[in-house]
Amino acid sequence: AARQEATSVLLVTIGVDGMVSEVGVAESGGDAFDQAAIAAVRRWRFRPARRGGRPIPSRIRVPFQFTLPKVEPAPRTPPAQGSAAEELAAADEPKEEQPLEVEVRGRRPPPARSTSDFVLDREVLTVAPHQDAASAVMSAPGVYVARPEGDAVAHQIFLRGFDAEHGQDIEFTLNGWFPVNQPSHIHGQGYADLNFIIPELIRSVRVTEGVYDPRQGDFAVAGSVDFDLGVAQRGYQLRSSYGSFGTFRQLVLWAPEGESEETFGAAVFRLTGGFGTNRGGMSGGVIGQYAFKGPGGFNGLVHVGAHGARANIAGVLRLDDVEAGRVGFYGTYPDPSANSQSALGARTQAGVSLERATQSGARTGIAAWLAFVDFRSRLNFTGYTQRSQFNPRWVGRGDLTEQANQDFGMGARLFHRTPRIEAASWLSGNFEFGLTFRTNWIEQEQNLLRAPQNETWDQRVDASIQATDVGVYIDAD
């Protein structure tokens, strides 16, 4: 009745014809699992390794991860009549066991496009706990993440020496098709707030450093990052934590037994007082996914999520004031403009994808999504230096800058990868054709406020934007 999980790693020798010639067990998950993996891999056909343009034998490691659903034994029904001896004799008779029907869903890892193409799986990501999705990306070489503006503002991320700020130079996606970057944002182009991703749901992260893949989008100047969501441990999970600076976090996770890893529901709440004055914050979010078997051999996935956060922001301090002791390193200035700094972020999203793979190697996929993202901030990084553009005589009223950005977007993605084409004995490959589409309706405002009443005394930005992006690609592999 217990749930069974095992991992078998095989050593597979591939001949010059691409057929499996020899199979060995490098890591055993149990004899039954090993034999099932061996039987499966012997039916596969590979592209042989080549040296100098000629095929040569090679040996690779192939991992198989098995997860069998929990099966409860059927209750025994006592006989209506008969003696105790007859009952015992009937119980000793062998019963014909019904076969257990198990559906296996496999995940094909994306092909590497460069030497700096990293896929961080669950084993790597769970070595140390991560407080958010951005910190999980730091497991990849060449990535650094900072949070200079509180829990309600997107992270500052560095990749390959690029200061991507809030995401302007890195493309972020979810499950390979859901875009996170916003095409226009008052706080930074390509704004990508990763706070809505619950770190316990991340099954793997792919970090591609550089632009080598035609699937990468407009913001992949320095590279791209994709989060794949899934939960291996099925059942209910309740996790509570309390730590420094009065930080409390509560996670509720439900992964139904017998369903695939992509099916789950999770909710999280976080409250913190912050590591200094005016740095407290509160956030919460939910994410749900459901994987299903669609018509025509398609595997489907429905994704929904919502997140909201509010945080106070301390702002900046003059170095001479800190050195002279007029204000503490973790403090803030006492004036109303400095103490009115804060940020608010909210996100609601939904999407569905369908994908089908055939034995010939062909793959077809289509996905559609929509999202609403709201952002507001009040920051003062200059003090009292701004002069009104409406009335130049107005100056010294405080530079509390209010930014507002509302974005409603929708989009779709379609691709088809052909079966492997054998053009010649020395030339074979696949072609992939893809189409991406997205359109966004954006409202942006930026005003100067006068604290403590927070009345508007100058208007800097008042914009309505509709941005539409259509992309087509052809990939020859």
Side-chain angles (χ1 to χ4, degrees):
R3 179 180 174 86
Q4 299 184 57
E5 297 183 2
T7 299
S8 299
V9 180
L10 305 183
L11 284 177
V12 181
T13 302
I14 303 167
V16 295
D17 57 355
M19 303 299 292
V20 175
S21 61
E22 184 180 347
V23 182
V25 179
E27 299 178 18
S28 175
D31 184 65
F33 295 106
D34 295 342
Q35 294 303 318
I38 292 173
V41 81
R42 284 193 178 278
R43 292 197 290 265
W44 293 1
R45 183 176 180 182
F46 297 82
R47 279 183 296 160
R50 293 180 180 273
R51 178 182 296 159
R54 301 181 60 182
I56 60 173
S58 60
R59 178 176 294 176
I60 61 174
R61 294 169 64 93
V62 180
F64 284 81
Q65 184 171 356
F66 297 91
T67 303
L68 300 185
K70 181 179 179 181
V71 180
E72 298 292 345
R76 290 184 55 195
T77 303
Q81 58 184 0
S83 65
E86 291 174 342
E87 294 181 17
L88 292 174
D92 291 338
E93 293 180 0
K95 299 293 190 301
E96 182 179 354
E97 295 185 0
Q98 296 297 324
L100 175 64
E101 184 174 331
V102 178
E103 179 183 347
V104 179
R105 294 172 61 95
R107 287 194 307 124
R108 181 190 298 271
R113 290 303 178 105
S114 70
T115 55
S116 298
D117 196 343
F118 304 97
V119 177
L120 312 174
D121 57 19
R122 185 184 292 110
E123 293 182 358
V124 175
L125 297 175
T126 55
V127 170
H130 300 285
Q131 64 177 353
D132 52 35
S135 64
V137 184
M138 290 185 65
S139 301
V143 181
Y144 177 74
V145 179
R147 176 175 264 171
E149 296 181 72
D151 294 356
V153 183
H155 296 74
Q156 184 177 15
I157 301 180
F158 297 83
L159 175 64
R160 297 175 50 233
F162 283 80
D163 180 1
E165 191 122 9
H166 299 305
Q168 64 182 5
D169 290 332
I170 304 176
E171 177 201 34
F172 292 95
T173 53
L174 194 66
N175 291 330
W177 53 270
F178 202 124
V180 179
N181 302 79
Q182 295 176 245
S184 180
H185 198 281
I186 193 69
H187 203 67
Q189 300 302 322
Y191 188 86
D193 188 352
L194 305 178
N195 293 312
F196 74 95
I197 303 177
I198 301 175
E200 286 84 355
L201 305 180
I202 301 176
R203 179 167 57 178
S204 66
V205 178
R206 182 188 182 188
V207 180
T208 303
E209 301 182 1
V211 188
Y212 302 99
D213 196 324
R215 302 165 191 82
Q216 292 175 288
D218 292 339
F219 302 105
V221 177
S224 58
V225 177
D226 178 66
F227 297 92
D228 177 53
L229 304 186
V231 179
Q233 182 180 346
R234 313 309 290 174
Y236 292 93
Q237 297 183 45
L238 219 65
R239 299 183 183 181
S240 303
S241 63
Y242 184 83
S244 302
F245 318 117
T247 301
F248 170 76
R249 186 175 186 269
Q250 178 65 58
L251 172 70
V252 180
L253 175 60
W254 176 52
E257 294 281 358
E259 299 288 346
S260 66
E261 293 186 0
E262 293 91 347
T263 299
F264 58 80
V268 67
F269 173 78
R270 184 176 184 269
L271 180 67
T272 180
F275 58 88
T277 307
N278 206 40
R279 289 176 172 87
M282 179 173 62
S283 64
V286 294
I287 292 181
Q289 287 192 173
Y290 176 68
F292 62 94
K293 191 72 174 178
F298 280 88
N299 291 318
L301 180 67
V302 176
H303 171 95
V304 294
H307 178 267
R310 189 190 186 284
N312 296 324
I313 300 177
V316 296
L317 302 174
R318 287 173 57 99
L319 180 60
D320 55 350
D321 287 341
V322 176
E323 294 177 342
R326 288 186 288 268
V327 61
F329 184 80
Y330 297 104
T332 58
Y333 289 120
D335 63 282
S337 179
N339 290 320
S340 298
Q341 300 180 95
S342 62
L344 180 146
R347 183 185 184 99
T348 304
Q349 62 194 30
V352 60
S353 66
L354 295 169
E355 187 171 344
R356 180 182 67 179
T358 65
Q359 293 183 353
S360 63
R363 296 177 63 201
T364 304
I366 184 172
W369 59 269
L370 56 86
F372 175 76
V373 186
D374 190 16
F375 172 83
R376 297 179 183 273
S377 68
R378 293 175 176 176
L379 299 171
N380 185 353
F381 286 157
T382 56
Y384 293 85
T385 63
Q386 294 293 313
R387 183 180 299 272
S388 172
Q389 296 179 357
F390 175 75
N391 187 341
R393 293 177 298 175
W394 293 350
V395 67
R397 296 191 173 193
D399 299 347
L400 186 62
T401 302
E402 180 184 52
Q403 293 182 332
N405 195 100
Q406 291 185 339
D407 185 330
F408 175 75
M410 63 177 62
R413 181 168 187 164
L414 170 69
F415 76 90
H416 175 71
R417 188 174 181 85
T418 67
R420 192 152 197 88
I421 301 172
E422 301 285 345
S425 59
W426 52 270
L427 178 63
S428 64
N430 303 79
F431 290 93
E432 181 173 319
F433 308 89
L435 169 68
T436 61
F437 166 80
R438 71 179 295 175
T439 184
N440 296 76
W441 292 269
I442 307 164
E443 297 290 334
Q444 296 177 347
E445 293 182 6
Q446 181 167 305
N447 304 312
L448 291 181
L449 305 182
R450 185 174 185 178
Q453 293 85 4
N454 292 337
E455 58 191 20
T456 300
W457 65 277
D458 198 36
Q459 188 178 63
R460 297 296 175 86
V461 177
D462 184 9
S464 296
I465 303 169
Q466 182 178 357
T468 300
D469 180 19
V470 179
V472 179
Y473 71 86
I474 301 176
D475 180 32
D477 186 5

Short mmCIF file of all heavy atoms in Angstrom, two decimals, residues 86-124:
data_model
loop_
_atom_site.label_atom_id
_atom_site.label_comp_id
_atom_site.label_asym_id
_atom_site.label_seq_id
_atom_site.Cartn_x
_atom_site.Cartn_y
_atom_site.Cartn_z
N GLU A 86 -13.91 -23.63 6.61
CA GLU A 86 -14.11 -23.29 5.21
C GLU A 86 -13.60 -21.88 4.91
O GLU A 86 -13.05 -21.62 3.84
CB GLU A 86 -15.59 -23.42 4.86
CG GLU A 86 -16.09 -24.87 4.88
CD GLU A 86 -17.59 -24.94 4.67
OE1 GLU A 86 -18.25 -23.88 4.86
OE2 GLU A 86 -18.09 -26.00 4.33
N GLU A 87 -13.82 -20.96 5.84
CA GLU A 87 -13.34 -19.59 5.64
C GLU A 87 -11.82 -19.54 5.56
O GLU A 87 -11.25 -18.84 4.70
CB GLU A 87 -13.82 -18.70 6.78
CG GLU A 87 -15.32 -18.52 6.81
CD GLU A 87 -15.76 -17.62 7.95
OE1 GLU A 87 -14.88 -16.90 8.47
OE2 GLU A 87 -16.94 -17.63 8.31
N LEU A 88 -11.13 -20.30 6.44
CA LEU A 88 -9.68 -20.31 6.41
C LEU A 88 -9.17 -20.94 5.12
O LEU A 88 -8.19 -20.48 4.53
CB LEU A 88 -9.13 -21.07 7.62
CG LEU A 88 -9.34 -20.39 8.98
CD1 LEU A 88 -8.88 -21.32 10.11
CD2 LEU A 88 -8.60 -19.08 9.04
N ALA A 89 -9.84 -22.00 4.66
CA ALA A 89 -9.41 -22.64 3.42
C ALA A 89 -9.58 -21.71 2.23
O ALA A 89 -8.74 -21.65 1.34
CB ALA A 89 -10.20 -23.94 3.21
N ALA A 90 -10.69 -20.96 2.24
CA ALA A 90 -10.92 -20.02 1.14
C ALA A 90 -9.90 -18.90 1.17
O ALA A 90 -9.47 -18.40 0.13
CB ALA A 90 -12.33 -19.45 1.23
N ALA A 91 -9.47 -18.46 2.36
CA ALA A 91 -8.49 -17.38 2.47
C ALA A 91 -7.13 -17.82 1.96
O ALA A 91 -6.35 -17.01 1.48
CB ALA A 91 -8.38 -16.91 3.91
N ASP A 92 -6.83 -19.14 2.08
CA ASP A 92 -5.53 -19.63 1.64
C ASP A 92 -5.47 -19.85 0.14
O ASP A 92 -4.38 -20.05 -0.41
CB ASP A 92 -5.21 -20.96 2.35
CG ASP A 92 -4.95 -20.72 3.84
OD1 ASP A 92 -4.62 -19.57 4.19
OD2 ASP A 92 -5.12 -21.67 4.63
N GLU A 93 -6.61 -19.84 -0.54
CA GLU A 93 -6.58 -20.06 -1.97
C GLU A 93 -5.94 -18.87 -2.68
O GLU A 93 -6.18 -17.72 -2.32
CB GLU A 93 -8.01 -20.25 -2.50
CG GLU A 93 -8.66 -21.55 -2.00
CD GLU A 93 -10.06 -21.68 -2.56
OE1 GLU A 93 -10.49 -20.77 -3.30
OE2 GLU A 93 -10.72 -22.68 -2.24
N PRO A 94 -5.10 -19.11 -3.68
CA PRO A 94 -4.46 -17.99 -4.40
C PRO A 94 -5.50 -17.16 -5.14
O PRO A 94 -6.42 -17.69 -5.76
CB PRO A 94 -3.49 -18.69 -5.37
CG PRO A 94 -4.07 -20.05 -5.54
CD PRO A 94 -4.73 -20.42 -4.23
N LYS A 95 -5.37 -15.87 -5.03
CA LYS A 95 -6.26 -14.94 -5.71
C LYS A 95 -5.58 -14.39 -6.96
O LYS A 95 -4.39 -14.13 -6.96
CB LYS A 95 -6.62 -13.76 -4.78
CG LYS A 95 -7.35 -14.21 -3.50
CD LYS A 95 -8.72 -14.75 -3.83
CE LYS A 95 -9.55 -14.95 -2.57
NZ LYS A 95 -8.96 -15.87 -1.61
N GLU A 96 -6.36 -14.22 -8.01
CA GLU A 96 -5.83 -13.64 -9.24
C GLU A 96 -5.71 -12.13 -9.07
O GLU A 96 -6.69 -11.44 -8.83
CB GLU A 96 -6.75 -13.96 -10.40
CG GLU A 96 -6.24 -13.42 -11.73
CD GLU A 96 -7.16 -13.77 -12.87
OE1 GLU A 96 -8.12 -14.51 -12.65
OE2 GLU A 96 -6.90 -13.27 -13.99
N GLU A 97 -4.49 -11.62 -9.12
CA GLU A 97 -4.25 -10.20 -8.93
C GLU A 97 -4.55 -9.43 -10.22
O GLU A 97 -4.14 -9.84 -11.30
CB GLU A 97 -2.81 -9.94 -8.51
CG GLU A 97 -2.48 -10.52 -7.14
CD GLU A 97 -1.09 -10.15 -6.72
OE1 GLU A 97 -0.40 -9.45 -7.50
OE2 GLU A 97 -0.67 -10.54 -5.62
N GLN A 98 -5.27 -8.32 -10.06
CA GLN A 98 -5.54 -7.46 -11.21
C GLN A 98 -4.31 -6.62 -11.51
O GLN A 98 -3.67 -6.10 -10.61
CB GLN A 98 -6.74 -6.56 -10.91
CG GLN A 98 -8.04 -7.32 -10.70
CD GLN A 98 -8.45 -8.08 -11.95
OE1 GLN A 98 -8.24 -7.60 -13.06
NE2 GLN A 98 -9.01 -9.27 -11.77
N PRO A 99 -3.96 -6.49 -12.78
CA PRO A 99 -2.78 -5.67 -13.12
C PRO A 99 -3.01 -4.21 -12.78
O PRO A 99 -4.12 -3.68 -12.91
CB PRO A 99 -2.62 -5.87 -14.63
CG PRO A 99 -3.99 -6.25 -15.10
CD PRO A 99 -4.61 -7.04 -13.98
N LEU A 100 -1.95 -3.57 -12.31
CA LEU A 100 -1.99 -2.14 -11.97
C LEU A 100 -1.64 -1.34 -13.22
O LEU A 100 -0.57 -1.49 -13.80
CB LEU A 100 -1.00 -1.82 -10.86
CG LEU A 100 -0.84 -0.35 -10.49
CD1 LEU A 100 -2.14 0.21 -9.94
CD2 LEU A 100 0.28 -0.18 -9.48
N GLU A 101 -2.57 -0.48 -13.64
CA GLU A 101 -2.33 0.34 -14.82
C GLU A 101 -1.70 1.65 -14.39
O GLU A 101 -2.25 2.39 -13.57
CB GLU A 101 -3.65 0.61 -15.55
CG GLU A 101 -3.47 1.39 -16.84
CD GLU A 101 -4.76 1.52 -17.61
OE1 GLU A 101 -5.62 0.63 -17.48
OE2 GLU A 101 -4.90 2.53 -18.33
N VAL A 102 -0.51 1.93 -14.91
CA VAL A 102 0.24 3.12 -14.54
C VAL A 102 0.54 3.93 -15.80
O VAL A 102 1.01 3.38 -16.79
CB VAL A 102 1.56 2.74 -13.83
CG1 VAL A 102 2.34 4.00 -13.49
CG2 VAL A 102 1.27 1.94 -12.57
N GLU A 103 0.25 5.22 -15.76
CA GLU A 103 0.59 6.11 -16.87
C GLU A 103 1.91 6.80 -16.56
O GLU A 103 2.07 7.39 -15.50
CB GLU A 103 -0.50 7.17 -17.09
CG GLU A 103 -0.17 8.12 -18.23
CD GLU A 103 -1.22 9.20 -18.38
OE1 GLU A 103 -2.30 9.06 -17.78
OE2 GLU A 103 -0.94 10.18 -19.10
N VAL A 104 2.85 6.71 -17.47
CA VAL A 104 4.18 7.29 -17.27
C VAL A 104 4.29 8.56 -18.11
O VAL A 104 4.05 8.54 -19.33
CB VAL A 104 5.29 6.29 -17.68
CG1 VAL A 104 6.66 6.93 -17.50
CG2 VAL A 104 5.17 5.03 -16.86
N ARG A 105 4.60 9.68 -17.46
CA ARG A 105 4.80 10.95 -18.16
C ARG A 105 6.28 11.29 -18.10
O ARG A 105 6.86 11.42 -17.03
CB ARG A 105 3.99 12.07 -17.50
CG ARG A 105 2.49 11.88 -17.62
CD ARG A 105 1.75 12.90 -16.79
NE ARG A 105 2.03 14.26 -17.21
CZ ARG A 105 1.27 14.94 -18.05
NH1 ARG A 105 0.19 14.39 -18.56
NH2 ARG A 105 1.56 16.18 -18.38
N GLY A 106 6.90 11.39 -19.25
CA GLY A 106 8.33 11.69 -19.31
C GLY A 106 8.57 13.14 -19.66
O GLY A 106 7.75 13.80 -20.31
N ARG A 107 9.70 13.66 -19.25
CA ARG A 107 10.10 15.03 -19.57
C ARG A 107 11.40 14.96 -20.36
O ARG A 107 12.40 14.45 -19.88
CB ARG A 107 10.31 15.86 -18.31
CG ARG A 107 9.03 16.24 -17.60
CD ARG A 107 9.29 17.34 -16.58
NE ARG A 107 10.37 16.96 -15.67
CZ ARG A 107 11.45 17.69 -15.49
NH1 ARG A 107 11.64 18.81 -16.15
NH2 ARG A 107 12.39 17.29 -14.65
N ARG A 108 11.36 15.48 -21.57
CA ARG A 108 12.56 15.51 -22.39
C ARG A 108 13.35 16.76 -22.05
O ARG A 108 12.85 17.88 -22.21
CB ARG A 108 12.19 15.51 -23.87
CG ARG A 108 13.40 15.52 -24.80
CD ARG A 108 12.96 15.78 -26.22
NE ARG A 108 12.09 14.73 -26.70
CZ ARG A 108 12.49 13.62 -27.29
NH1 ARG A 108 13.78 13.42 -27.49
NH2 ARG A 108 11.64 12.72 -27.70
N PRO A 109 14.57 16.63 -21.55
CA PRO A 109 15.36 17.83 -21.23
C PRO A 109 15.66 18.61 -22.49
O PRO A 109 15.89 18.03 -23.56
CB PRO A 109 16.63 17.26 -20.59
CG PRO A 109 16.73 15.87 -21.11
CD PRO A 109 15.33 15.38 -21.29
N PRO A 110 15.65 19.94 -22.42
CA PRO A 110 15.93 20.74 -23.61
C PRO A 110 17.37 20.53 -24.07
O PRO A 110 18.27 20.34 -23.26
CB PRO A 110 15.70 22.18 -23.13
CG PRO A 110 15.90 22.12 -21.65
CD PRO A 110 15.43 20.77 -21.23
N PRO A 111 17.60 20.57 -25.38
CA PRO A 111 18.98 20.37 -25.88
C PRO A 111 19.85 21.56 -25.50
O PRO A 111 19.44 22.72 -25.58
CB PRO A 111 18.79 20.28 -27.40
CG PRO A 111 17.51 21.01 -27.67
CD PRO A 111 16.64 20.78 -26.48
N ALA A 112 21.06 21.26 -25.04
CA ALA A 112 22.00 22.33 -24.70
C ALA A 112 22.44 23.06 -25.95
O ALA A 112 22.68 22.45 -27.00
CB ALA A 112 23.21 21.74 -23.97
N ARG A 113 22.55 24.38 -25.85
CA ARG A 113 22.93 25.19 -26.99
C ARG A 113 24.30 25.84 -26.83
O ARG A 113 24.77 26.49 -27.73
CB ARG A 113 21.87 26.27 -27.24
CG ARG A 113 20.55 25.71 -27.75
CD ARG A 113 20.77 24.92 -29.02
NE ARG A 113 19.55 24.32 -29.52
CZ ARG A 113 18.89 24.77 -30.58
NH1 ARG A 113 19.33 25.83 -31.21
NH2 ARG A 113 17.81 24.17 -30.99
N SER A 114 24.90 25.73 -25.67
CA SER A 114 26.22 26.33 -25.46
C SER A 114 26.86 25.64 -24.27
O SER A 114 26.23 24.87 -23.54
CB SER A 114 26.10 27.84 -25.20
OG SER A 114 25.51 28.08 -23.94
N THR A 115 28.14 25.95 -24.05
CA THR A 115 28.82 25.39 -22.88
C THR A 115 28.33 26.02 -21.59
O THR A 115 28.55 25.48 -20.52
CB THR A 115 30.34 25.61 -23.01
OG1 THR A 115 30.59 27.01 -23.20
CG2 THR A 115 30.89 24.85 -24.19
N SER A 116 27.67 27.17 -21.68
CA SER A 116 27.13 27.85 -20.50
C SER A 116 25.61 27.71 -20.47
O SER A 116 24.88 28.68 -20.32
CB SER A 116 27.52 29.33 -20.49
OG SER A 116 28.93 29.47 -20.42
N ASP A 117 25.13 26.49 -20.65
CA ASP A 117 23.71 26.18 -20.62
C ASP A 117 23.50 25.18 -19.47
O ASP A 117 23.85 24.01 -19.59
CB ASP A 117 23.28 25.58 -21.96
CG ASP A 117 21.77 25.59 -22.13
OD1 ASP A 117 21.06 25.75 -21.13
OD2 ASP A 117 21.30 25.45 -23.27
N PHE A 118 22.96 25.66 -18.36
CA PHE A 118 22.88 24.85 -17.15
C PHE A 118 21.43 24.49 -16.84
O PHE A 118 20.55 25.35 -16.91
CB PHE A 118 23.46 25.61 -15.95
CG PHE A 118 24.88 26.08 -16.14
CD1 PHE A 118 25.14 27.37 -16.56
CD2 PHE A 118 25.94 25.22 -15.93
CE1 PHE A 118 26.44 27.81 -16.74
CE2 PHE A 118 27.24 25.65 -16.12
CZ PHE A 118 27.49 26.94 -16.53
N VAL A 119 21.19 23.23 -16.51
CA VAL A 119 19.90 22.78 -16.01
C VAL A 119 20.11 22.31 -14.57
O VAL A 119 20.78 21.31 -14.33
CB VAL A 119 19.30 21.65 -16.88
CG1 VAL A 119 18.00 21.17 -16.26
CG2 VAL A 119 19.07 22.13 -18.30
N LEU A 120 19.57 23.05 -13.62
CA LEU A 120 19.69 22.73 -12.20
C LEU A 120 18.47 21.94 -11.78
O LEU A 120 17.35 22.47 -11.75
CB LEU A 120 19.81 24.02 -11.38
CG LEU A 120 20.83 25.05 -11.89
CD1 LEU A 120 20.75 26.32 -11.08
CD2 LEU A 120 22.23 24.47 -11.86
N ASP A 121 18.65 20.65 -11.47
CA ASP A 121 17.51 19.82 -11.12
C ASP A 121 17.22 19.89 -9.63
O ASP A 121 17.85 20.63 -8.87
CB ASP A 121 17.74 18.37 -11.56
CG ASP A 121 19.01 17.77 -10.96
OD1 ASP A 121 19.52 18.31 -9.95
OD2 ASP A 121 19.50 16.76 -11.49
N ARG A 122 16.24 19.10 -9.21
CA ARG A 122 15.79 19.14 -7.82
C ARG A 122 16.90 18.77 -6.84
O ARG A 122 16.99 19.32 -5.74
CB ARG A 122 14.60 18.20 -7.65
CG ARG A 122 13.97 18.25 -6.26
CD ARG A 122 12.85 17.25 -6.10
NE ARG A 122 11.72 17.58 -6.93
CZ ARG A 122 11.34 16.90 -7.99
NH1 ARG A 122 12.04 15.83 -8.38
NH2 ARG A 122 10.29 17.25 -8.69
N GLU A 123 17.77 17.83 -7.22
CA GLU A 123 18.84 17.41 -6.31
C GLU A 123 19.77 18.57 -6.00
O GLU A 123 20.27 18.69 -4.87
CB GLU A 123 19.62 16.25 -6.93
CG GLU A 123 18.81 14.96 -7.06
CD GLU A 123 19.64 13.83 -7.62
OE1 GLU A 123 20.83 14.10 -7.94
OE2 GLU A 123 19.14 12.71 -7.74
N VAL A 124 20.03 19.43 -6.97
CA VAL A 124 20.90 20.59 -6.74
C VAL A 124 20.16 21.67 -5.96
O VAL A 124 20.69 22.26 -5.02
CB VAL A 124 21.41 21.14 -8.08
CG1 VAL A 124 22.22 22.42 -7.87
CG2 VAL A 124 22.26 20.10 -8.80
#
